[in-house]
Amino acid sequence: MAAQKTDVRTPAELRSAVDPAVLEAQGLNSIQVAERQRLQLANVQPHTTSRSIAEILRTHLMTLFNLIIGVCALVIVILGRWLDLLFAVAAVANVVIGLIQEYSAKRKLDAIALLHQDSITVLRDGMLVEIHREQIVLDDVVELRRGDQVPADGVVISSSGLDVDESMLTGESDPVPKRRDDIVLSGTAVLAGTGRFVVSAVGDDAHAVKLATEAKRYQKINSELRRALEKVAFWLSLVLLPITAIVFNGQMQAFGGWSHAWASGQWREAMVTAVSSVTAMIPQGLALMTTIAFAVAALRLAQDKVLIQEQPAVEILARVDVVCLDKTGTLTDGTIAFHGAAPLDSRGLPAVQHRDPSSTALEGTEPWQQVLAWFGADLHANPTAAALQVPFTALPRHHAAYQVQFSSARRWSAVTFADDAGELAGHWILGAPDILQSPHVAPQAEVDRLLGHTEATAAQGLRTMVLAHAPLEGPILDGASGPLGRGERLPDGLMPVTLLTFKENVRSDARSTLEYFSAQNVALKVISGDSPRTVSAVAREVGMRVDGDGVDASRLPEDPEAMRSALATHSVFGRVSPEQKRTMVEALKANGHVVAMTGDGINDALALKRADLGIAMGNGAPATKAVSRMVLLDGRFDRLPKVLAEGRKVIANTERVAHLFLTKTAYAIVLGLFFGLMFWQFPFLPRQFSTVDFLMIGCPAFFLALMPNTRRYRPGFLRRSVLFSIPASVAICLAVIAVSAAGRHFQEPAAGVQTASTLCLTLVGLWVLNVALRPLTTPRMILLASMYLLLAAALLVPISQQYHLFAMPSAELLAVAFVAAMVGSGLIELGHRWHDRKVDLDPLDPVEPVEPAPAAARPDRR
C-alpha cells in the first residue's frame, strides 16, 4: 500500500488560502483552527529555563571537594569509626542549601509570564467566543476592549479610538493610537477604545515571548565572595590530589611502612589520620557560613518588605558604584498628579494660577471648574483627566447631553450641556494645546501666544492641557450632523478658557535616597523611555544636577565607544529603547563599574537581567520581578540604605570568617605536607580536628557572620584574607611541629601527643580568633571567653576525654605545649601588625552611617 501523503503547509501558505474579506467578517472556521493547532501554530509559551534539574544536581554534587569529602567519609564508615564523621556535616549542609537555593531560582525563572493568563475574545465562524489565550492560533481575529492585554502580535483591521499603552515595552508613557494596518505587540495593554487585529505571530515568535526567553536565560550572580571561594577551590583542586597522596604515603610509612602496616592492621590508623589531615585542608565551612550570612540577611530584609531572590544580591549592593534608575515606577509612582489650573485672559495668557486643591477658587464657583469636575468623575476618564477628580469636586447639577471619549488619535475629549444648563451650556473640549491650531478656533493671535506659553511650560517637564468652550449651534444629538459630528471634528467658535498643568507623582522617598547614594560615592544614571525633557524635570525635582534637557538616546550612534563616552559625561537619558538600556548597563560594566538597575516595566527586564543587581518595584511587571535579584515589595525606594547596611555587614563579617577558614586550610596543608614528607604520625584524629575547628572557627564564625559591622566595602577581599592567613598559619605550624617533635623526643604515646597537640593548636587558634574579632567589644570578649571555657571542658570532662580518646601527657610535654602556644600567639600578633601595614588597614573599623541623615548633616560629596 502506498504511503498516504501528508499535506503540510507553511504559515504563509495558510494565510494566502484565507480570503481577507471573509476573515475580517467571519474569522477562522473550525477546520482552519484545527489545521493550525495540528501544525502547532497556537499561542503556547515555553515554560522551561535553560538549566534542568539534572544540571543543577550535577553542578552542586559533582565537585572535587565533594568527591574527596565523600571518599573520606566512605573510608571512615567502612572502618567503623562513625564518631569521626563530623567533618562531613558542613559539606552535606552546604550542598543541600545550594540545591534548595538554585532550585528555588529555577522555579522563579520558569514562572516568568509577560502575559496575564486570562481569557480573550476571538471571532470564529462569525461568532465572538471567549478562549484561553494559549488557544489562539495564527490568523485568528482577536477583539480588543479597554483593559485587555494584547495576547499576541498582529495587524489591526479595525479601530474605534483604539489607544494602546506600550510603556511596559518601550518606556514611553504616552498612549499610542492604533489605526488599520498598524502593528500591535504582545504584552501591551488597551487604554481606550475597541478594535480587532489579525494574529501574525504566536508562541515563541511573539515579541513578549522573545523578551521572556532572553530574560529566562540563567545567569550566575556576580558575587565577589563567591568568586573568591571559587578561586580558592580552583587552586586547592590543583594541589589537593598530590598532597593527599603524600599524606597517605607518609602515614603508612609512619606506621612501619606499607608492608608492616598492612600485615599488622595499623593501616587502619594510618587511613584515619590521613583522612583527618586531608579533610582539614578543605574550607567547606567557609561556603556554609557565607550562605548562612546571606540567608539571615535575606530574612531580616524580608521583614522590611525587601525580597531577596538570590542571596548574594545583599552583597552586590554594598559593592555598587553606579545605580541606573528608570524614571517611571522608581523616581515616580507611575501616576499623574494635578499641578495647576489657570483661567486665560483676553490675550490668551494665564491670568491667575490656582494650585492649592483646598483653595476656594477650586470649589466649583466657576463653570469651568464644574466641567473639570465632570471630566475627572467620568468612569472612562484617562489617567490625566482622572487626576482632576482630586482638586475639582463640585459636579454640575445638570446632566450631560452628549459626550465624546478621549482618544489619543484626536487628543481630546468633549462634553455638551444643553441650553437649560445656564452658564454651562455649550460644548466643552478638554485636550492637548495643539487642538487650538484647528481652523475652528479664533482669534489666532491669542492661540499663538498661548501655544508659546505652553511650550515654555512643557520645557519644565509639565504636561499641559487646555479646556475650551464653543457655543451651541443647532441640534446636539443628531449624530453625524451635530456640531461634534461623530466625535471626529471640533465645533466652530472654539475659545480657550483654562490652561491645566499636570506632572508625574514623584516618590516622596526618592530625593533622600538619591542624596544618600551620592554621599556614598555612588554615581546615578536616569535611563527612561520617556522624553528627555520630562525625564530631566523629574531628575531635577529629586535633587539631581542636570545640564540642559538630558540626552535623547534615539539620536545616539550605535558605536559602543560613543555610548560609553555619553555615559561617562551625562546622567540623564530619554527615549531609551529596551535594547539600549541593556547596552548601557553592559557599557558601564565594561568600564569596570558594579551596576545596579531599578525598574518596573517589561522594557526594563533585559537591563535588570544584565545588571550586577536588578531591583524591581513590587507593583512592576511579573517578568521584571522574576528576573530581578531583589524586589521592593512595597515599592519604597528608601529601603535600599537598609539593604546597603546588610550588604556591608555580610562582606565585612565574611572577610573576618575567611581569615579563620583560610588560616585553617593553610596550616592543614603545611602540616599535612610536613608530616607526610617526614614520615611522622599525624598528631590528630578526625574527631579531635573537628573539635578544634568548632572551637577556633565553627562556633565563633556562626556568631561572627551575624554581628553588626558597617565598614565600607573595599575591593581585594581575597588578597587581604590570604595575607592574613600566611603569617597565622606559619605560627600555628611551628607551634604544633614543636609539640610533636617534643613528643617524639620524650617518647610519648600517640594519645598523649594528640592531646598536647590539640591543646596547643586550639590555644594558638583562639589567638587568631582574638585578632580577627578586633576591636574587642563586650559581646566579642564574651564569645572568646566562652571558647576558652569549652576548651577546658573538652580536655577535662571525662565523657569528652573518652569521646576524643584524650590521654593526659607528661608534665614535660604539657609545658612544651603551653610554651609553644605562647610563642605561636606572639608570632600571630606580629603577623597581624605586618598584615595591617601591608594592606593599609586601620585596626579599628570605621563605623559609617547606614541611614540617610538629615539634609543639614549629610556629608559633602567627594
Side-chain angles (χ1 to χ4, degrees):
M1 179 183 295
Q4 186 175 4
K5 183 177 180 181
T6 304
D7 181 20
V8 178
R9 292 189 285 178
T10 65
E13 292 172 336
L14 290 171
R15 187 173 295 110
S16 63
V18 179
D19 186 342
V22 175
L23 182 66
E24 293 183 17
Q26 301 290 325
L28 295 176
N29 58 44
S30 56
I31 296 176
Q32 293 168 330
V33 171
E35 184 177 20
R36 284 158 175 77
Q37 290 174 338
R38 179 175 60 84
L39 296 176
Q40 299 182 350
L41 296 177
N43 195 39
V44 178
Q45 299 184 52
H47 300 287
T48 59
T49 63
S50 59
R51 214 167 151 82
S52 67
I53 295 178
E55 289 174 323
I56 294 174
L57 288 171
R58 185 165 58 250
T59 299
H60 287 274
L61 291 176
M62 305 303 291
T63 67
L64 181 61
F65 282 1
N66 287 343
L67 175 63
I68 294 175
I69 292 291
V71 170
C72 290
L74 181 62
V75 169
I76 296 299
V77 170
I78 292 174
L79 295 177
R81 303 284 291 264
W82 294 91
L83 295 178
D84 287 313
L85 269 177
L86 285 178
F87 66 84
V89 173
V92 173
N94 199 42
V95 169
V96 170
I97 293 175
L99 286 173
I100 292 174
Q101 179 181 342
E102 188 158 342
Y103 178 68
S104 175
K106 170 184 168 57
R107 290 184 61 186
K108 288 185 178 71
L109 290 172
D110 286 344
I112 293 178
L114 300 190
L115 305 179
H116 303 305
Q117 297 301 312
D118 50 4
S119 59
I120 200 73
T121 302
V122 297
L123 179 66
R124 288 181 179 175
D125 292 313
M127 296 182 296
L128 292 174
V129 295
E130 286 194 358
I131 61 174
H132 190 277
R133 59 183 60 240
E134 288 201 347
Q135 295 176 317
I136 294 173
V137 298
L138 192 69
D139 299 324
D140 250 330
V141 176
V142 179
E143 182 161 283
L144 296 174
R145 304 184 184 94
R146 185 174 181 269
D148 285 346
Q149 189 181 44
V150 180
D153 299 353
V155 180
V156 176
I157 58 174
S158 67
S159 171
S160 177
L162 183 64
D163 289 341
V164 175
D165 177 11
E166 296 185 344
S167 63
M168 297 296 276
L169 293 177
T170 65
E172 177 63 60
S173 58
D174 293 331
V176 180
K178 296 294 181 180
R179 302 179 179 85
R180 184 180 177 88
D181 297 329
D182 285 346
I183 302 294
V184 289
L185 297 176
S186 54
T188 58
V190 178
L191 291 178
T194 60
R196 291 181 181 179
F197 74 95
V198 176
V199 175
S200 61
V202 293
D204 292 343
D205 296 327
H207 185 74
V209 176
K210 289 179 180 178
L211 281 177
T213 303
E214 175 71 16
K216 287 162 76 170
R217 291 178 183 171
Y218 180 83
Q219 184 176 345
K220 199 167 186 179
I221 196 166
N222 179 25
S223 165
E224 183 183 10
L225 297 182
R226 281 188 172 178
R227 287 202 314 271
L229 295 180
E230 289 169 357
K231 191 173 292 186
V232 171
F234 172 77
W235 288 109
L236 278 178
S237 300
L238 295 181
V239 301
L240 207 51
L241 288 179
I243 290 177
T244 301
I246 293 173
V247 169
F248 183 61
N249 176 69
Q251 294 309 298
M252 292 294 284
Q253 298 294 340
F255 283 93
W258 286 81
S259 299
H260 181 268
W262 282 113
S264 63
Q266 289 184 309
W267 63 270
R268 298 173 181 272
E269 294 300 322
M271 189 77 74
V272 171
T273 54
V275 165
S276 176
S277 175
V278 171
T279 55
M281 301 176 192
I282 302 175
Q284 70 267 25
L286 177 56
L288 179 60
M289 287 298 104
T290 303
T291 301
I292 290 174
F294 283 146
V296 172
L299 289 174
R300 287 178 175 171
L301 291 172
Q303 297 174 355
D304 289 327
K305 306 289 187 183
V306 178
L307 174 62
I308 303 299
Q309 305 211 81
E310 290 188 58
Q311 290 176 351
V314 183
E315 168 214 337
I316 300 301
L317 186 59
R319 297 196 291 111
V320 161
D321 59 2
V322 176
V323 175
C324 297
L325 308 163
D326 179 50
K327 175 184 68 67
T328 305
T330 303
L331 299 181
T332 66
D333 61 12
T335 62
I336 302 298
F338 171 76
H339 177 263
L344 300 175
D345 59 20
S346 59
R347 299 173 300 161
L349 294 176
V352 181
Q353 187 81 4
H354 301 305
R355 295 193 180 188
D356 185 1
S358 63
S359 171
T360 56
L362 303 182
E363 289 182 352
T365 57
E366 300 291 335
W368 62 268
Q369 295 170 349
Q370 297 178 36
V371 172
L372 291 176
W374 185 93
F375 278 113
D378 185 10
L379 294 177
H380 301 290
N382 67 346
T384 304
L388 297 170
Q389 191 171 7
V390 175
F392 300 100
T393 57
L395 291 169
R397 290 174 295 175
H398 299 81
H399 292 289
Y402 185 76
Q403 76 172 100
V404 178
Q405 292 183 11
F406 178 82
S407 166
S408 56
R410 290 187 301 267
R411 303 193 69 187
W412 55 268
S413 55
V415 61
T416 299
F417 291 96
D419 287 323
D420 60 357
E423 292 182 314
L424 288 176
H427 308 290
W428 295 89
I429 313 298
L430 179 65
D434 55 11
I435 66 171
L436 299 177
Q437 295 176 330
S438 167
H440 304 277
V441 181
Q444 196 60 40
E446 297 179 8
V447 171
D448 291 340
R449 282 193 292 269
L450 178 59
L451 291 178
H453 179 76
T454 59
E455 289 180 5
T457 303
Q460 303 173 21
L462 297 174
R463 298 186 181 188
T464 56
M465 296 189 74
V466 170
L467 177 67
H469 177 266
L472 293 175
E473 293 181 5
I476 61 174
L477 296 174
D478 68 345
S481 61
L484 296 177
R486 293 192 179 274
E488 298 300 331
R489 69 176 183 86
L490 294 167
D492 294 327
L494 194 63
M495 291 290 295
V497 175
T498 307
L499 177 66
L500 306 170
T501 53
F502 302 84
K503 67 174 183 177
E504 291 189 74
N505 264 328
V506 174
R507 291 181 179 273
S508 59
D509 55 2
R511 174 183 285 269
S512 60
T513 305
L514 294 188
E515 289 180 353
Y516 172 74
F517 277 121
S518 295
Q520 301 298 318
N521 295 327
V522 177
L524 302 170
K525 306 289 182 183
V526 181
I527 302 174
S528 174
D530 223 328
S531 70
R533 190 163 54 188
T534 302
V535 180
S536 297
V538 171
R540 290 190 185 93
E541 189 170 351
V542 296
M544 291 183 62
R545 296 177 181 176
V546 182
D547 296 330
D549 291 332
V551 178
D552 188 339
S554 64
R555 299 179 180 178
L556 286 176
E558 296 182 0
D559 179 30
E561 289 299 324
M563 181 69 74
R564 292 167 67 174
S565 175
L567 287 166
T569 55
H570 296 87
S571 298
V572 176
F573 298 83
R575 305 286 188 209
V576 185
S577 68
E579 292 75 17
Q580 280 182 315
K581 286 188 178 184
R582 177 178 59 183
T583 302
M584 287 179 171
V585 169
E586 291 173 342
L588 288 168
K589 291 174 66 176
N591 283 340
H593 294 291
V594 180
V595 182
M597 173 77 193
T598 68
D600 68 338
I602 295 173
N603 62 303
D604 302 318
L606 297 182
L608 262 66
K609 185 73 174 179
R610 288 292 190 272
D612 295 295
L613 178 63
I615 305 172
M617 297 298 166
N619 59 349
T624 307
K625 289 185 285 188
V627 302
S628 65
R629 315 287 192 186
M630 182 186 302
V631 181
L632 306 181
L633 295 176
D634 57 1
R636 286 183 54 183
F637 197 38
D638 61 350
R639 300 290 190 189
L640 293 183
K642 181 66 178 292
V643 181
L644 181 69
E646 289 292 337
R648 285 178 174 175
K649 183 178 72 175
V650 167
I651 289 181
N653 285 343
T654 302
E655 182 171 331
R656 293 178 185 270
V657 172
H659 288 352
L660 302 178
F661 276 101
L662 293 183
T663 297
K664 187 203 81 164
T665 296
Y667 76 66
I669 291 175
V670 174
L671 289 178
L673 285 173
F674 178 85
F675 285 94
L677 294 173
M678 295 296 293
F679 302 155
W680 289 9
Q681 185 177 344
F682 196 69
F684 303 99
L685 295 176
R687 66 189 72 180
Q688 296 166 352
F689 230 151
S690 295
T691 297
V692 173
D693 281 352
F694 176 79
L695 294 174
M696 172 187 169
I697 302 174
C699 181
F702 179 79
F703 292 100
L704 189 57
L706 306 179
M707 285 182 174
N709 197 327
T710 55
R711 191 186 71 194
R712 286 188 177 182
Y713 166 73
R714 290 170 293 190
F717 154 79
L718 183 58
R719 174 179 174 271
R720 291 192 299 271
S721 296
V722 170
L723 289 177
F724 178 94
S725 65
I726 290 174
S729 60
V730 169
I732 290 175
C733 290
L734 290 176
V736 172
I737 291 171
V739 172
S740 186
R744 291 173 65 87
H745 175 73
F746 296 133
Q747 297 183 348
E748 289 279 334
V753 175
Q754 291 168 356
T755 304
S757 298
T758 301
L759 172 63
C760 177
L761 175 59
T762 309
L763 288 174
V764 182
L766 288 178
W767 198 262
V768 176
L769 176 62
N770 180 318
V771 170
L773 284 173
R774 294 176 188 175
L776 291 176
T777 60
T778 299
R780 295 176 184 180
M781 292 176 67
I782 293 174
L783 175 63
L784 192 59
S786 301
M787 295 304 101
Y788 281 110
L789 291 175
L790 286 176
L791 171 61
L795 291 170
L796 300 176
V797 174
I799 190 172
S800 174
Q801 292 176 342
Q802 295 174 9
Y803 166 73
H804 290 99
L805 301 179
F806 284 151
M808 187 59 64
S810 64
E812 293 85 355
L813 184 58
L814 196 60
V816 170
F818 277 111
V819 171
M822 293 176 62
V823 173
S825 299
L827 292 176
I828 287 173
E829 190 67 35
L830 293 174
H832 172 61
R833 296 182 181 182
W834 169 83
H835 169 263
D836 282 352
R837 290 196 303 270
K838 187 71 175 176
V839 299
D840 194 26
L841 290 179
D842 183 347
L844 297 180
D845 290 335
V847 177
E848 301 290 347
V850 296
E851 296 292 344
R858 289 192 184 102
D860 295 334
R861 296 182 183 180
R862 290 178 291 170

